Each structure stands twice: as C-alpha cells, then as structure tokens.
Amino acid sequence: GDDRRPGVGPSPDLVIVACADVDLDPLAVLGLRPGDAHLVTNAGGVVGADTARDTAASRRSFGVSRVVGVPPG
C-alpha cells in the first residue's frame, strides 16, 4: 500500500492555487491525494502578489515545475 502522508516522502513538483472555499476539494477535483501537490489557497483562488511569492518560493525550495489553478465552483 501507499502510506504517504503530507510532508513525508519525495517533494511533489506541482503547486495548486485554489479558492479557500470549504466545499471545494482541489485535490479530489484533480484526482490527487494529500502529499501529491503543494496547495496554496486564498479568497477566490486569485493569483496576487502574495500567491506569486508563495509559488516562487515553492519553485526555489522544492523544485516545483508545474502550477495549476482551480477556480471557485
């Protein structure tokens, strides 16, 4: 079985930017599980200066090469 947990194992190369809506599960929408991607959430899933900074930090620190946006439902 796969016993991966968030923060354990290889670092994913994917960042998901999504709305912080509690009814939205961006991992499930994309067929992913906890630990498969870095998740950045905010009001409306807007890519503003702070989100761009967080995404850039993930690229530098974790080798992230892909960014996916999940708009609010």
Side-chain angles (χ1 to χ4, degrees):
D2 189 352
D3 62 350
R4 287 182 298 166
R5 297 178 307 280
V8 176
S11 177
D13 71 343
L14 172 65
V15 168
I16 299 171
V17 178
C19 180
D21 182 340
V22 297
D23 295 325
L24 175 67
D25 183 353
L27 294 177
V29 167
L30 296 171
L32 302 172
R33 298 182 7 212
D36 287 345
H38 300 272
L39 184 58
V40 176
T41 61
N42 61 32
V46 176
V47 179
D50 56 342
T51 304
R53 182 195 64 238
D54 294 344
T55 301
S58 290
R59 292 189 71 188
R60 285 189 307 274
S61 299
F62 304 111
V64 167
S65 61
R66 301 176 296 152
V67 178
V68 173
V70 178

